[in-house]
Amino acid sequence: MTLLIELLGSIALLLWGLRMVRTGVMRSYGTNIKRFARRSEGKIIPAFLSGLIVAALLQSSTAAVLISASFAGQSLIGVGTAFITMLGADIGTSVAVLIASQKFTTLAPFLLAVGIFGFIASKENKRQNVFRAISGLGLILFALILISSTAGGLAELREFKSLLEVFNNQPVFFLLLALVLTYLSYSSLAIVLLSVSFLATGVIGLNEGLYLVLGANLGSGMLPLISSWNSSELEKNPIIANLLVRSLCIILFYPFVSVFSNFSITYLSAELVPAIYHLTLNLFVAVIGITFSKQFLALSLGLFSENKIEDQLNKHNILEADDFSMPAVSLANAKREALRMAEVSQNMVVSSLAVMKDDNEMLRHEIIKNEDTVDEFYDSIKLYIARILQEELSPAESQQALNILNFTTNMEHIGDIVNNSLMEISGRKISKHIHFSKEGFSEILSIHEEVCANYDLAINTFVSNDCELARVLYEKKQELHKLEKRSVSKHLQRLGKGIADSLETSSMHIDVVRDYKRVNSLLSSIAYPILFASGEILETRLKQNA
């Protein structure tokens, strides 16, 4: 019983280490990682490598898959690019398993010491998160040492050996066991490392260890689908395609587990075989997936008919209630609807760059159509807030109602900017068959990425009402202002040099940059009421910066 408790504790430590690496990397370099993944659009090798690097950094193919799927859902990258990025992510975790499965007995305490003491000594948030990730790596390696030690004790127990003998020659059991454990731990990497430790200490045989690897790989394909089940068809399409190609390759590998184990044991140590098998499987998945990507994506699309996404967006059932006796409930309803409105307007901003980049007329019309949805949301929320304000409210409740109204007004203005200006500019660009210069579009891309990152921050600030988030959002306004000034200055320099593309798109470039700056200003203003209420910033200064 003692050994079992120690084993469970070691596994928990492994999972916590993986989580610390993931959160540390995302908090310190999350925006850069997303930007790196986003810039691989339309290129097979960069897309594949971006998935590999992101998954290796995050120690999670599931996280990398969900990031690329969300980009596909927002039309930032195509579903084909997202699919290839996912294939690269699986290779990334395979490499991470191969490295982590090596015996670094002195590296674990060294990384723990550097990470923990560095975290304590650092005052800057970004550095703390870097040291958080380093200490997480130390925890992963330390947990693997503990698992090996504890599993060795289990292997010597007569009762445990008798239990395993019952399941001898039952490969389906080990495959399903790994599948369940992957779902419970939300990490295929952890289960593959666990199988390596069990194999190294003789708890299980080589074949059983490889069946665990197959089950963990099947689980890694299912986890993103479970997490994004209610997402759009565009977002689920590459995830389902990834699961299909993974399932096919697992079926092909399943009958040849004994062949692989007998062949590899002559060249490799037994504890290294599962990691190599894991890498081999994912390389095979990548080759098949890239070769037949169009077929898998088409099959994936055919499995699920179009969801009722548009109908869900156009429904305002939350605001149909006529009972306003509890203002807190009514305000919560209004806030929920405001978030749905923000999701639509955010998607308009995110997708606007794809229209200008690819001259995508179909996407342009979808964005224009979404403006009607934003207006419908705004009208219904505005009337609902007006009805709430007729009730007896506390000062805090009145302020909350006004904050929600201010937030939705900003979202409506953002929708107008995208529809009336950015889509009008893109329409002129398409009709005239002109293009931004390479340098000019790169500048627009950087500004757009900053605005998209600030959009998430603005929504989180509105939801949490957190003063620290509001302060960061407020400071982001000045950062984007510097980007805008730099872009305009460089654009004028290109005009002076007589660059043809810059001359053709001169007014368009400046207008697009100006529009994204206006969007960012509206997002930044969401922080003002929070900062003013906390006393961190004076109302007169807010008006000067508005």
Side-chain angles (χ1 to χ4, degrees):
M1 188 64 182
T2 304
L3 284 173
L4 185 59
I5 292 173
E6 289 177 358
L7 180 62
L8 290 174
S10 303
I11 295 171
L13 191 64
L14 173 63
L15 295 176
W16 187 251
L18 290 169
R19 178 182 173 85
M20 285 185 68
V21 172
R22 188 158 56 246
T23 55
V25 172
M26 282 303 293
R27 288 178 185 177
S28 52
Y29 297 105
T31 302
N32 293 332
I33 287 173
K34 290 179 180 180
R35 185 176 299 164
F36 174 64
R38 196 182 296 161
R39 290 192 173 184
S40 62
E41 164 59 17
K43 305 168 187 173
I44 293 178
I45 295 177
F48 186 82
L49 290 176
S50 70
L52 189 155
I53 293 169
V54 169
L57 286 173
L58 299 180
Q59 300 284 293
S60 172
S61 61
T62 301
V65 166
L66 291 174
I67 288 172
S68 57
S70 68
F71 288 163
Q74 296 169 351
S75 299
L76 284 173
I77 60 175
V79 291
T81 301
F83 177 53
I84 292 169
T85 304
M86 293 174 187
L87 297 175
D90 295 320
I91 301 294
T93 52
S94 301
V95 173
V97 166
L98 194 59
I99 295 171
S101 62
Q102 304 306 303
K103 293 182 179 179
F104 300 112
T105 52
T106 57
L107 186 59
F110 174 75
L111 290 175
L112 278 171
V114 171
I116 293 172
F117 291 124
F119 182 90
I120 294 171
S122 299
K123 301 299 179 183
E124 187 184 344
N125 192 39
K126 187 173 183 177
R127 286 186 179 178
Q128 284 185 333
N129 284 312
V130 170
F131 285 117
R132 185 196 303 272
I134 292 173
S135 60
L137 284 172
L139 282 178
I140 291 171
L141 297 177
F142 186 61
L144 290 172
I145 294 171
L146 289 178
I147 289 171
S148 297
S149 174
T150 310
L154 275 177
E156 296 173 2
L157 287 179
R158 186 184 306 168
E159 296 83 355
F160 191 74
K161 287 182 178 179
S162 301
L163 178 64
L164 287 180
E165 286 175 3
V166 175
F167 297 106
N168 270 346
N169 301 318
Q170 298 290 332
V172 176
F173 166 77
F174 288 96
L175 193 147
L176 293 177
L177 175 64
L179 181 63
V180 172
L181 290 175
T182 302
Y183 174 76
L184 293 175
S185 64
Y186 210 76
S187 173
S188 60
L189 187 148
I191 304 309
V192 176
L193 289 176
L194 191 63
S195 69
V196 171
S197 297
F198 280 176
L199 184 62
T201 51
V203 173
I204 57 175
L206 183 55
N207 286 358
E208 288 75 13
L210 299 188
Y211 287 123
L212 287 175
V213 171
L214 289 179
N217 274 274
L218 183 59
S220 73
M222 294 177 67
L223 285 176
L225 182 59
I226 295 169
S227 299
S228 60
W229 187 256
N230 294 321
S231 302
S232 66
E233 298 298 319
L234 208 58
E235 193 168 332
K236 284 195 295 187
N237 190 6
I239 292 176
I240 297 170
N242 182 50
L243 177 59
L244 288 174
V245 66
R246 183 161 299 282
S247 300
L248 174 64
C249 293
I250 288 170
I251 291 170
L252 293 175
F253 268 58
Y254 182 83
F256 301 103
V257 166
S258 297
V259 176
F260 186 91
S261 62
N262 292 333
F263 174 78
S264 59
I265 199 65
T266 57
Y267 301 98
L268 303 168
S269 60
E271 58 268 24
L272 192 60
V273 174
I276 297 296
Y277 186 68
H278 183 51
L279 179 60
T280 304
L281 171 63
N282 282 293
L283 285 171
F284 189 75
V285 169
V287 171
I288 297 297
I290 293 173
T291 305
F292 301 101
S293 59
K294 292 182 180 178
Q295 289 80 357
F296 279 110
L297 287 168
L299 179 59
S300 166
L301 193 62
L303 289 176
F304 285 79
S305 59
E306 187 66 29
N307 277 344
K308 299 177 281 185
I309 301 170
E310 195 171 317
D311 292 340
Q312 290 174 356
L313 288 175
N314 288 318
K315 286 180 181 176
H316 303 284
N317 294 335
I318 295 175
L319 304 187
E320 288 180 0
D322 55 2
D323 183 7
F324 294 89
S325 58
M326 296 182 67
V329 174
S330 301
L331 289 169
N333 288 339
K335 199 165 192 175
R336 287 168 60 191
E337 200 74 351
L339 291 174
R340 295 175 66 200
M341 178 186 180
E343 184 181 347
V344 181
S345 63
Q346 182 182 25
N347 192 52
M348 291 173 68
V349 173
V350 169
S351 303
S352 62
L353 189 75
V355 175
M356 286 182 279
K357 179 185 177 184
D358 304 322
D359 291 344
N360 192 330
E361 189 69 46
M362 185 179 297
L363 181 58
R364 178 173 173 270
H365 286 300
E366 287 180 12
I367 292 173
I368 292 171
K369 190 176 179 181
N370 280 340
E371 167 62 8
D372 295 333
T373 306
V374 170
D375 288 341
E376 289 174 20
F377 270 118
Y378 181 60
D379 290 339
S380 63
I381 295 170
K382 183 171 59 176
L383 292 173
Y384 191 77
I385 292 291
R387 179 64 185 82
I388 293 174
L389 290 172
Q390 294 175 15
E391 300 295 318
E392 289 188 18
L393 305 177
S394 66
E397 289 170 339
S398 297
Q399 186 60 51
Q400 187 180 354
L402 293 174
N403 288 348
I404 294 171
L405 188 59
N406 177 63
F407 178 82
T408 52
T409 301
N410 288 346
M411 294 301 108
E412 196 271 338
H413 287 341
I414 288 172
D416 286 342
I417 292 170
V418 175
N419 181 56
N420 299 332
S421 186
L422 288 171
M423 291 303 99
E424 190 272 332
I425 292 169
S426 63
R428 280 192 284 123
K429 177 177 173 292
I430 293 170
S431 63
K432 292 181 179 181
H433 303 287
I434 56 179
H435 301 280
F436 294 109
S437 66
K438 184 178 179 181
E439 296 83 359
F441 188 78
S442 177
E443 292 162 12
I444 291 173
L445 176 62
S446 297
I447 291 172
H448 179 264
E449 287 173 342
E450 191 70 26
V451 171
C452 289
N454 291 346
Y455 219 125
D456 288 329
L457 181 60
I459 292 174
N460 291 336
T461 302
F462 171 69
V463 171
S464 65
N465 211 39
D466 182 74
C467 193
E468 184 178 350
L469 287 179
R471 194 184 310 116
V472 174
L473 180 61
Y474 176 74
E475 292 169 355
K476 290 287 185 182
K477 182 178 180 179
Q478 297 304 318
E479 292 180 16
L480 194 106
H481 181 61
K482 292 177 183 177
L483 275 178
E484 181 250 351
K485 286 183 67 176
R486 195 180 305 128
S487 176
V488 171
S489 175
K490 288 182 178 179
H491 177 70
L492 293 175
Q493 290 175 15
R494 288 192 295 272
L495 290 179
K497 293 177 182 178
I499 297 175
D501 286 341
S502 295
L503 291 170
E504 288 179 338
T505 60
S506 179
S507 63
M508 290 184 183
H509 179 98
I510 293 173
D511 287 344
V512 168
V513 170
R514 178 206 63 195
D515 287 337
Y516 283 135
K517 180 187 175 185
R518 288 166 60 200
V519 169
N520 194 72
S521 295
L522 289 166
L523 294 174
S524 298
S525 68
I526 293 167
Y528 295 171
I530 301 171
L531 293 174
F532 177 63
S534 67
E536 291 202 16
I537 192 165
L538 296 176
E539 188 174 13
T540 53
R541 187 177 167 193
L542 288 176
K543 289 178 179 178
Q544 289 171 0
N545 286 277

